[in-house]
């Protein structure tokens, strides 16, 4: 079509104008109108969809006049859209900086912008401004432009053009289905690039058969299984918009719209879906995303002719009855590079049916039993047989199918298939549709032919000496890079070397040998003579390993005469087949690849002295004694990698002074301090073997040899040890292991290490530090962690918990410990309970590390979770430093098997009397942020810092705790009014929206705004907490802002630089007194730090062989530096490169602070490339401490390899330095005087006093959402200063300032209950528990109030409510500082007793009562129940169209243990509603799909769903069963119908009323007077013979988005009998009868109505009556087979399966023909009569026509 258009345009140009260099002048029809006086510009390279640059430059063109654009003969226009890296034939692509005008606008001026094709900032859209041009819209839907010479500031500018092809048919009904769930925005991990697929035309997007659409907002980087994910930069159109053009953005690491790819066209279609004209993106690796939040309707999931059983009995032999699959592109030799790396084919789009035999170009083929790197076979993922083919005697066998992904052969796993070997040496396969989760999978085929002649005597000689394994491809300063990819291989070859026969190598060949960069070698031995022809895998050596790539396998045969022949094929890439010159004159069985000369055994004399020759590695080796290499070192927190080491020479392994060896069997993953531990594959040699070469394997992904690292040399030495010539491994993270499983710890072997006597003494003299976890822990008292809690209905998972610090376990107030023996599966409220593997320590052991195991699959240590630290404490209890487990569902256990429930165990809380005294004597609690904050004194945060050249971003800061702002030593505050853009050192400065609080307000939450785009609150960042402090300053709990570049401001507009402002670290009289009474605050980092004493951090450690990197360390808190027990500090001057055990050593840039400075922030520099601050790492905090030392809050450096240095240049090794510890005497005294620990939430909570949370706040104009709040800790609720609580009964919708208000489901606890967990419900859609939010913890406190540990709700907008319905507004209630007397009084006025029965609203058939301790509605005893046994329920079901409802007796459910609020449909959000004592559920196909499935089985189509529910284990336990009530709406395909009502004369209707549980729909047939189908015939019709008749047939009561009505055949008969022999066909096989040119098929199979027209006629064979009959059926639109192209010349006739569903019959008529006074014939409708004709698949619609002369007067009504 494009060629014809181009040809036509060219002919017109030749006739009407002169074509010169792509420009021509058309004849002028109007001297002044440029629409008729323009030059033609038709240059293909201007296309914006072409990414390559061809060196054009429009500044060299002499532009004159107006131009009209064409592309390949098609009318085009200038692009209005920027496309990244597209130059339109030049280097800077120019596009229109605005939309095109309309014809009414006339001539307009438009700005022209440009984007550079190269990389860098200049590639941004609009980076260049060119000269403006004039544009005009012309009649005929085209534009003309007055081009001028572009601005020369842009390199090679060219005007861009874009042409969108004309649309011949509606794309809403002419599209290709694209069902690629791996493109969803919740998928990641793979890189599947859309550049590898061919794009042509329009596409409709699906997700496992359901509608889905492209996202309209930014998609997370690296989602959608692609590097650059593409999304629609603009909303989808409406149906009335027609076809629109949308810009497409690509998200990469630095921004949502970093890349703009080619624009696409989009159209909205009837049925609530969209079609897209997708094109090939121009940059890689990019892909069009789909948005899972837009999934709409379920499609059919069951096909009636797909057998899903695993055991099939065949009644025919598939070897004799199969389909032929002869696709040349399925060949394994069809490499990606052959067709430009395009993957055109996808076997998920094929309807597989039956058995298949493979052919390639007519030759028999079979599936490959192997895989190679980058195998294509015409698709993206190549499918191959995961096992050998069966034999004839095996019959039908089942084989696994695997799919490749680049160089990973088994990345995907497809569904198994059946295979059979057939006589005649071929195979047949029962292919099935691969899973949609695999990208573009294709079944591969490999030619399988038996040589017609013996290849041993029919071969080609290959004598090319450059193939030798000792011939490097770089020789004599020249790269001799040979490439077998360029050879046209054909048949069998025998290899020679200067006339002597040789063979291919069977072991690794060094990269760069055999005259090529990637030498090819066989991965397994050559065959024997008796083996015949065998297939062998071929590996390619590369810099990263011996078998980095696998090439296409070849066939090999051993021949008489001791030689081999090979059937070479084209390799995958530029490489060459090798030969081994050393193998000459050797027999086949004794081929050796050893290249070293080994002396005879008798010549080896074990050395007597140590004066062995220097060349013998047994006496010339390096000692490798890293303790972390031990096989016992598992799941280390620091991952090592031996690619960092500069290996040189031979090594001997030691562990703790004992000689060990490498393991020569598989080692567990995550052992030896690395990810994939390296072990020796092939066993150790003997002394007699000398130096041998062994393969090295790395264990990963449950594959002991997943990594095939570079081989090493090994030698056995006299004395029973081994030495190894280690080399750099092939990848990271791999490390060589040392086998420590059998070493003798007590042997006397002295290694270069010092004794531990001094160290033990130091440990003995250390008293307990102030950070001792035995006195600083969190209480963990979840009852569900008990070992007695087994088979719980609620499965917990500790990966959800934000673990921080140490924990002590309690069960019901009693101190317990973790079990240190195996625990039963499904205990402790989880799947795999975690227990301590290794036993508990003693008090003397201090802090130890223990492994943690999870019991599953009858394996006590099936899960090896992350290790934890444990400490035994005085008093007989333990504390644990819990960390996040390695997987879900794992949870830490509490051993409750031996606890004494009756023993008096006091929880860590005391009475409030003592606490009140403590409050009196302590002026400020230690948790008060007014006295416990960090100093934030960055000068750049000043509001006076505007338009800074360095843009800061607070999303990179690890915020933790509270902060006070300073500028140049003066205390300042955040601005609480709008701040100018580009202030405070950032783009959008953050300011406090809502004003500062007063001291009386306590802690409040404030919104934070960022000023941008002249909008003071353009960015609404995350809220923060603020507190006003005595002394007139404020503290802020800063959190990470919502975007970059945002930063918190410090208001410096009113500060007095000259005033004397004292920093908070300066001591005062009062503060000094506080210091005297409290020995050391627990939060002061000078007394709460970690010791960092790695010797390698010393500045004296230079040019180390082991390079360390501090990005692998999990930094947490403050640190003090030591070297060999002496306190040191970070260097604050430049340090030499390659010092401190790393590449670029980190030093403090800015000097250390003084004690008076308090906590300061310092920059950190890394020395590299002779630049002392080459690396600017992340800043750290520093504090000078009394005693002359410093502490540092280290954070993760900005890059690897950087490490923090310890300055050891001036330390005195011999000085006596005592470790920093304080005595516990004063601390113990402080503990004695403190009555209650700070961890009791009743005395350690945040105030939540938002007025909008009140239950009285209804239908607010501002909807709040608690998912945006950073919840942390416990909260107490207040409303207008009065203490309130959460409501524990249902709250009205749209209350509490939100959509679905959250209330406490389960009632409040008592003081005796302690901390309990309660469910939280959100009221919506008249369902009190429509939203089941995340549970929270609640505690009742002395004084009659409650505290809550709020967490982030499960959805937005949900918000926690404060119950203000009963508060006494006039009572005198004081906030936190008042005593509990008044508060108790206020609480006394609250009603506490209520009648639970009054809230249940039981019906007349029910009675209120209690069951299992819970009130509910029970069934009355005299109530009749239609149930045969206790598991039956009284239910009713209703079906209508594509919707259904079901109701179940509430009282029966309650008595069975299933309250109404725990029941839901397949979709958990679809809850039931209680009406008149019944729980009602409803689904439809609009907004309440509720997980409904649409099935089709050939005889019915079925909507099915289930009512699901689980009884609450803690409340209602009648039996441990899960409720599952299945129900469906069934629509039968065939049934006999009869009409017993009079038919409306306007239309014929069939009502199909089905029994209970079956659906109802109706078919109508209406004749119309006009062509627009707006006026139906009524009464007398004045229609002439031969007049056009319009008829519409439509079905009602079915989902128009899923079904279409199809007319199969329509015909006419002279009598009222559709089977009458005399007939005239109007429609045949869904298309008009070619013998009747008056029939027009207006629409058929596209919607629920079909239309056709014909011209009225009568039969001439002595007949005056006419009857019309039609056969129709329903069709699923998702099958894409409902409509037929009647103009294609070959009409589709296929056996219907999924598309055919139902049929109906209807009668319309009779019509009568009469002659009037003028002799004209008229049609008259008398009455309508319906009759049903039924057969197995069809029923008929009959329309009767009767001549008017047969009608009596009484019938004329």
């Amino acid at each position: 079509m494009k060629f014809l258009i181009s040809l036509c345009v060219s002919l017109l140009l030749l006739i009407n104008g002169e074509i010169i260099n792509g420009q021509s002048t058309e004849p002028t029809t109007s001297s002044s109108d440029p629409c008729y006086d323009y030059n033609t510009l038709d240059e293909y390279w201007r296309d914006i969809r072409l990414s390559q640059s061809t060196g054009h430059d429009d500044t060299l063109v002499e532009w004159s006049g107006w131009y009209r654009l064409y592309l390949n003969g098609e009318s085009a226009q200038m692009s209005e859209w920027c496309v990244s890296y597209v130059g339109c034939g030049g280097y800077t692509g120019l596009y229109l900086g605005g939309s095109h005008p309309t014809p009414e606008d006339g001539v307009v001026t438009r700005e022209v912008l440009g984007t550079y094709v190269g990389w860098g900032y200049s590639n941004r859209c609009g980076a260049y401004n060119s000269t403006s041009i004039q544009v005009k819209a012309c009649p005929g839907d085209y534009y003309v432009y007055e081009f001028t010479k572009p601005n020369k500031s842009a390199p090679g500018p060219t005007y861009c053009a874009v042409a969108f092809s004309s649309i011949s048919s509606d794309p809403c009904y002419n599209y290709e289905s694209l069902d690629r769930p791996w493109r969803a925005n919740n998928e990641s991990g793979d890189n599947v690039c859309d550049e590898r697929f061919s794009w042509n035309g329009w596409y409709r997007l699906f997700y496992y058969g359901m509608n889905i659409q492209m996202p309209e907002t930014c998609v997370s980087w690296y989602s959608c299984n692609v590097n650059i994910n593409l999304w629609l930069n603009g909303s989808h159109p409406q149906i009335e918009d027609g076809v629109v053009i949308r810009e497409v953005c690509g998200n990469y690491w630095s921004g949502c719209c970093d890349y703009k790819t080619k624009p696409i066209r989009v159209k909205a279609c009837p049925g609530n879906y969209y079609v897209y004209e997708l094109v090939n993106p121009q940059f890689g690796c990019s892909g069009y995303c789909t948005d899972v939040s837009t999934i709409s309707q379920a499609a059919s999931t069951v096909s009636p002719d797909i057998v899903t059983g695993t055991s099939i009995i065949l009644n025919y032999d598939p070897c004799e009855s199969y389909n032929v699959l002869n696709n040349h592109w399925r060949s394994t030799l069809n490499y990606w590079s052959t067709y430009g790396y395009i993957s055109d084919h996808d076997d998920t789009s094929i309807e597989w049916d039956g058995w298949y035999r493979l052919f390639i170009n007519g030759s028999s083929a079979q599936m490959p039993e192997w895989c190679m790197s980058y195998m294509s076979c015409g698709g993206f993922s190549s499918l191959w047989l995961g096992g050998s083919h069966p034999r004839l005697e095996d019959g039908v066998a089942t084989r696994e199918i695997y799919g490749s992904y680049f160089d990973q052969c088994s990345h995907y796993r497809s569904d198994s298939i059946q295979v059979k070997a057939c006589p005649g040496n071929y195979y047949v396969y029962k292919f099935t549709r691969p899973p949609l989760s695999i990208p573009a999978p294709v079944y591969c085929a490999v030619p399988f032919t038996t040589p017609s002649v013996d290849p041993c005597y029919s071969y080609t000689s290959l004598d090319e000496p450059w193939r030798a394994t000792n011939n490097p491809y770089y020789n004599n300063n020249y790269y001799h890079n040979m490439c077998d990819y360029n050879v046209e291989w054909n048949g069998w070859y025998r290899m020679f070397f200067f006339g002597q026969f040789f063979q291919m190598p069977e072991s690794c060949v060094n990269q760069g040998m055999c005259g090529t960069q990637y030498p090819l070698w066989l991965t397994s031995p050559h065959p024997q003579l008796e083996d015949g022809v065998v297939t062998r895998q071929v590996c390619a050596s590369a810099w990263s390993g011996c078998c980095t790539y696998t090439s296409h396998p070849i066939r090999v045969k051993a021949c008489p005469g001791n030689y081999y022949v090979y059937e070479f094929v084209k390799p995958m890439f530029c490489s060459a087949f090798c030969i081994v010159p050393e193998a000459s004159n050797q027999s086949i069985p004794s081929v050796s690849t050893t290249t070293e000369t080994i002396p005879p055994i008798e010549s080896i004399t074990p050395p007597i002295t140590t004066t062995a020759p220097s060349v013998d590695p047994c006496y010339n080796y390096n000692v490798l004694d890293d303790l972390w290499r031990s096989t016992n070192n598992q799941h280390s927190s620091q991952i090592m990698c031996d690619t960092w080491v500069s290996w040189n020479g031979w090594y001997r392994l030691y562990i703790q002074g004992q000689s060990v060896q490498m393991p020569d069997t598989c080692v567990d993953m995550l052992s030896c301090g690395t990810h994939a531990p390296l072990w020796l594959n092939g066993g150790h040699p003997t002394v007699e073997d000398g130096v041998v070469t062994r393969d090295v394997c790395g264990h990963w992904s449950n594959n002991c040899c997943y990594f095939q690292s570079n081989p090493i040399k090994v030698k056995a030495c006299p004395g029973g040890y081994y030495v190894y010539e280690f080399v750099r491994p092939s990848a990271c993270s791999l490390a060589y292991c040392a086998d420590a499983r059998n070493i003798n710890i007590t042997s006397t072997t002295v290694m270069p290490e010092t004794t531990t006597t001094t160290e033990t003494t130091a440990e003995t003299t250390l008293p307990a530090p102030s950070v001792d976890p035995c006195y600083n822990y969190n209480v963990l008292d979840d009852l569900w962690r008990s070992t007695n809690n087994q088979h719980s209905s609620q499965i917990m998972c500790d990966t959800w918990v934000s673990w921080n610090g140490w924990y002590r376990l309690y069960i019901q107030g009693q101190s317990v410990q973790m079990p240190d023996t195996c625990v039963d599966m499904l205990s402790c409220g989880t799947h795999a309970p975690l227990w301590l593997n290794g036993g508990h320590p003693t008090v003397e052991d201090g802090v130890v590390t223990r492994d943690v195991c999870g019991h599953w699959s009858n394996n006590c240590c099936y899960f090896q979770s992350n290790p934890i630290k444990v400490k035994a404490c005085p008093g007989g209890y333990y504390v644990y430093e819990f960390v996040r487990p390695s997987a879900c569902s794992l949870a830490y256990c509490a051993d409750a098997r031996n606890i004494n429930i009756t023993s008096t165990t006091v929880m860590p809380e005391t009475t409030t009397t003592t606490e009140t005294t403590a409050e009196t004597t302590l002026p400020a609690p230690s948790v008060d942020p007014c006295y416990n904050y960090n100093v934030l004194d960055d000068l750049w945060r000043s509001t006076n810092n505007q338009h800074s050249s360095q843009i800061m971003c607070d999303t990179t800061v690890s915020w933790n705790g509270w902060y006070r702002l300073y500028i140049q030593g003066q205390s300042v505050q955040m601005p609480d009014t709008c701040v100018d853009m580009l202030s405070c050192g950032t783009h959008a400065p953050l300011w406090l929206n809502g004003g500062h609080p007063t001291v009386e307000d306590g802690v409040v939450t404030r919104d934070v705004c960022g000023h941008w785009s002249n909008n003071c609150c353009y960015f609404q960042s995350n809220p923060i907490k603020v507190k006003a402090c005595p002394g007139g300053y404020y503290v802020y709990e800063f959190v990470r802002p919502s975007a970059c570049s945002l930063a918190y401001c410090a208001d410096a507009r009113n500060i007095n630089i000259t005033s004397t402002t004292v920093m908070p670290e300066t001591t005062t009289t009062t503060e000094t007194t506080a210091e005297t009474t409290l020995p050391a605050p627990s939060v002061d980092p000078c007394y709460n730090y970690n010791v960092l004493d790695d010797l390698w951090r010393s500045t004296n450690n230079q040019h180390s062989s082991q390079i360390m990197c501090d990005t692998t360390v999990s930094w947490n808190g403050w640190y003090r530096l030591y070297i060999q027990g002496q306190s040191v500090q970070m260097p604050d001057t430049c340090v030499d490169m390659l010092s401190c055990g790393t590449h670029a050593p980190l030093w403090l840039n800015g000097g250390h602070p003084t004690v008076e400075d308090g906590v300061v922030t310092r920059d950190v520099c890394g020395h590299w490339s002779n630049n002392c601050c080459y690396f600017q790492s992340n800043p750290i905090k520093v504090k000078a401490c009394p005693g002359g030392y410093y502490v540092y809050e280290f954070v993760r450096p900005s890059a690897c390899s950087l490490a923090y240095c310890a300055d050891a240049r001036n330390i005195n090794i011999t000085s006596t330095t005592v470790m920093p510890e304080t005595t516990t005497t004063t601390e113990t005294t402080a503990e004695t005087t403190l009555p209650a620990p700070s961890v009791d939430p009743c005395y350690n909570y945040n105030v939540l006093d938002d007025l909008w949370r009140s239950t009285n706040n209804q239908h607010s104009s501002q909807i709040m959402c608690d998912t945006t709040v950073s919840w942390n800790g416990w909260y107490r609720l207040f409303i207008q200063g009065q203490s309130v609580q959460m409501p524990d009964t249902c709250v009205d919708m749209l209350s509490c300032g939100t959509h679905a208000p959250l209330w406490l489901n389960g009632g409040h606890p008592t003081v005796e209950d302690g901390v309990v967990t309660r469910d939280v419900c959100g009221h919506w859609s008249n369902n009190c528990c429509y939203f089941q939010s995340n549970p929270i913890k609640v505690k009742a406190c002395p004084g009659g109030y409650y505290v809550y540990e709020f967490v982030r709700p499960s959805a937005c907008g949900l918000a926690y409510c404060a119950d203000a319905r009963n508060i006494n507004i006039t009572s005198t209630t004081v906030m936190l500082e008042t005593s509990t007397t008044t508060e108790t009084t206020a609480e006394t006025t609250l009603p506490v007793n209520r009648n639970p029965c009054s809230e249940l609203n039981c019906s007349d058939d029910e009675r209120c009562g209690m069951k299992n301790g819970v009130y509910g509605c029970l069934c009355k005893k005299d109530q009749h129940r239609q149930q045969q046994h206790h598991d039956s329920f009284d239910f009713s079901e209703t079906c209508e169209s594509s919707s259904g409802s079901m109701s179940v007796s509430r009282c029966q459910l309650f008595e069975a243990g299933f309250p109404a609020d725990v029941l839901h449909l397949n979709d958990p959000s679809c809850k039931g509603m209680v009406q008149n004592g019944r729980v009602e559920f409803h689904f439809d196909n609009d907004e309440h799909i509720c997980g409904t499935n649409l099935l089709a089985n050939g005889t019915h189509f079925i909507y099915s769903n289930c009512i699901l529910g689980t009884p609450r284990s803690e409340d209602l336990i009648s039996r441990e069963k899960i409720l599952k009530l299945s129900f469906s709406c069934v629509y039968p395909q065939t049934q006999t119908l009869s009409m017993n009502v009079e038919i409306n004369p306007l239309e014929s209707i069939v009502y199909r009323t089905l029994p209970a549980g079956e659906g109802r729909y109706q078919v109508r047939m209406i004749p119309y007077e006009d062509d627009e189908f707006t006026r139906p015939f009524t009464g007398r019709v004045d229609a002439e013979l031969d007049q056009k008749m319009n008829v519409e047939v439509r079905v009602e009561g079915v989902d128009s988005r899923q079904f279409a009505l199809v007319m199969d055949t329509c015909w006419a008969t002279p009598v009222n009998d559709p089977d009458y022999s005399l007939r005239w066909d109007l429609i045949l096989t869904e298309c008009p009868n070619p013998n009747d040119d008056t029939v027009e098929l207006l629409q058929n199979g596209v919607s629920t109505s079909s239309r056709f027209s014909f011209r009225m006629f009568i039969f001439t064979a002595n007949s005056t009556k006419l009857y019309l009959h039609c056969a129709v059926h329903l069709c699923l639109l998702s099958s894409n087979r409902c409509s037929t192209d009647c103009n294609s010349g070959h009409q589709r006739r296929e056996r219907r399966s999924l598309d055919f569903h139902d049929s109906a019959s209807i009668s319309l008529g009779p019509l009568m023909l009469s002659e009037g006074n003028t002799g004209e014939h008229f049609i008259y409708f008398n009455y309508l009569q319906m009759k049903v004709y039924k057969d197995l698949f069809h029923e008929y619609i009959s329309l009767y026509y009767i001549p008017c002369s047969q009608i009596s007067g009484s019938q004329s009504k």
Side-chain angles (χ1 to χ4, degrees), residues 172 236-244 266-270 273-275:
C172 286
H236 283 76
Q238 305 294 321
I239 291 181
E240 55 268 24
D241 296 334
V243 177
V244 300
V266 190
K267 185 180 182 185
C269 298
Y273 65 91
Y274 301 90
V275 288

Side-chain angles (χ1 to χ4, degrees), residues 554-630:
I554 63 174
R555 295 201 285 181
V556 189
K557 185 179 181 184
C559 299
N562 196 20
Y563 65 91
Y564 301 92
V565 287
Y566 308 83
E567 190 182 30
F568 291 133
V569 296
K570 181 179 291 189
M572 182 74 188
F573 34 78
C574 185
S575 53
F577 297 103
C578 289
I579 57 174
V580 187
E582 300 93 319
S584 60
N585 301 323
Q586 293 182 356
S587 62
I588 294 175
S590 59
V591 173
S592 173
T593 59
T594 305
T595 60
E596 297 161 354
T597 303
I598 303 175
I601 300 300
E602 56 272 13
S603 67
I604 298 177
T605 304
I608 306 299
T609 65
T610 58
T611 58
S614 60
V615 294
D616 189 343
C618 285
Y619 308 102
N620 186 17
Y621 56 78
N622 302 290
V623 171
L624 196 61
D625 59 353
D626 303 313
L627 184 59
W628 55 263
R629 294 185 186 276
S630 168

Side-chain angles (χ1 to χ4, degrees), residues 727-927:
V727 297
R728 181 174 178 173
S730 59
C732 209
S733 294
L734 310 179
Y736 293 107
C737 278
D739 195 344
R741 291 174 287 193
N742 300 316
I743 64 172
N744 183 6
I745 303 298
T746 60
S747 64
T748 309
T749 306
V750 181
M751 282 289 288
E753 68 253 4
T754 56
T755 62
T756 60
T757 306
T758 308
E759 186 174 325
T760 304
T761 306
E763 288 292 335
T764 306
T765 59
L766 287 178
S770 62
V771 293
D772 190 342
C774 285
Y775 309 102
N776 184 17
Y777 56 79
N778 303 289
V779 171
L780 196 62
D781 58 353
D782 303 314
L783 186 59
W784 56 262
R785 294 185 185 276
S786 168
T787 49
N788 299 329
N789 178 22
Q790 297 183 339
H791 299 277
S792 172
S793 61
Q794 185 174 5
I795 301 301
M796 309 304 289
C797 179
D798 275 345
T799 59
W800 306 331
V801 181
S802 299
W803 299 102
N804 185 13
W806 291 77
Y807 295 82
R808 182 177 174 185
L809 291 167
Y810 284 85
I811 292 292
Q812 292 183 335
Q814 296 189 53
S815 180
V816 294
Q817 64 184 55
M818 271 190 76
D820 49 17
T821 57
C822 187
V823 181
D824 291 341
M825 292 187 295
L826 299 175
S827 300
C828 310
T830 190
H831 282 141
L834 296 178
W835 57 278
L836 207 63
N837 187 6
H840 283 78
T842 63
V843 174
E844 293 73 26
D845 293 333
V847 177
V848 299
T849 300
R850 288 289 185 264
D851 291 334
V852 175
C853 285
H855 185 189
W856 190 249
S857 188
N858 293 322
N859 182 342
C860 284
C861 209
Y862 184 91
F863 289 100
Q864 293 180 346
S865 188
N866 298 320
I868 63 171
K869 293 183 180 178
V870 189
K871 185 177 183 185
C873 298
Y877 63 91
Y878 301 92
V879 288
Y880 309 86
E881 190 179 24
F882 290 131
V883 297
R884 183 173 177 174
S886 59
C888 207
S889 295
L890 309 180
Y892 293 107
C893 278
D895 195 344
R897 291 173 287 192
N898 300 317
I899 66 171
N900 183 5
I901 304 299
T902 61
S903 64
T904 306
T905 305
V906 182
M907 287 290 285
E909 66 253 6
T910 56
T911 62
T912 59
T913 307
T914 311
E915 185 175 77
T916 305
T917 307
E919 288 291 337
T920 305
T921 58
L922 289 177
S926 60
V927 294

Side-chain angles (χ1 to χ4, degrees), residues 1488-1640:
H1488 298 88
I1489 297 175
C1490 298
T1492 304
N1493 293 317
L1494 173 60
L1495 310 176
N1497 60 10
T1499 62
H1500 297 77
F1501 57 94
I1502 307 164
Y1503 289 93
S1504 64
N1505 210 314
C1506 290
I1507 298 176
L1508 304 172
T1510 304
R1512 291 198 186 103
S1513 59
E1514 69 272 20
D1515 292 333
L1516 294 174
I1517 302 178
S1518 61
R1519 52 183 170 271
E1520 292 190 3
K1521 290 185 178 180
I1522 295 176
L1523 178 68
K1524 183 175 182 181
L1525 299 179
S1526 300
F1527 65 101
S1528 59
C1529 290
V1530 181
Y1531 293 76
Q1533 286 185 319
T1534 61
Q1535 71 174 33
T1536 302
L1537 304 175
S1538 61
M1539 294 299 298
N1540 54 8
V1541 296
E1542 185 176 351
I1543 305 301
N1544 188 315
L1546 292 183
E1547 53 192 32
S1548 178
I1549 306 174
V1550 174
Y1551 290 94
R1552 311 194 69 185
T1553 303
L1554 306 176
E1558 296 187 346
R1560 175 182 176 181
Y1561 63 90
Q1562 55 191 17
V1563 182
R1564 297 175 182 265
M1565 184 175 183
I1566 312 171
Y1568 286 85
E1569 295 185 53
D1570 58 324
D1571 293 343
E1572 290 75 26
F1573 289 81
T1574 60
R1575 300 192 306 275
F1577 275 115
T1578 59
R1580 181 180 180 88
V1581 180
D1582 294 328
E1584 303 180 34
L1585 188 66
D1586 196 43
Q1587 183 174 336
K1588 186 177 181 181
M1589 297 294 301
N1590 298 296
V1591 181
E1592 179 188 72
V1593 182
R1594 68 170 181 259
V1595 60
E1596 297 176 351
V1598 298
D1599 191 346
S1600 62
R1601 294 169 298 181
Q1602 293 180 319
F1603 293 101
L1605 182 72
V1606 180
M1607 296 185 299
D1608 296 314
T1609 308
C1610 291
W1611 69 99
T1613 61
V1615 296
N1616 190 4
D1617 183 3
D1619 299 323
Y1620 192 72
S1621 59
L1622 180 61
R1623 59 183 283 167
W1624 178 253
D1625 292 319
L1626 297 174
I1627 297 176
L1628 291 169
T1629 62
E1630 304 174 14
C1631 291
N1633 181 2
N1635 296 323
D1636 190 345
D1637 57 3
T1638 71
V1639 180
E1640 291 186 57

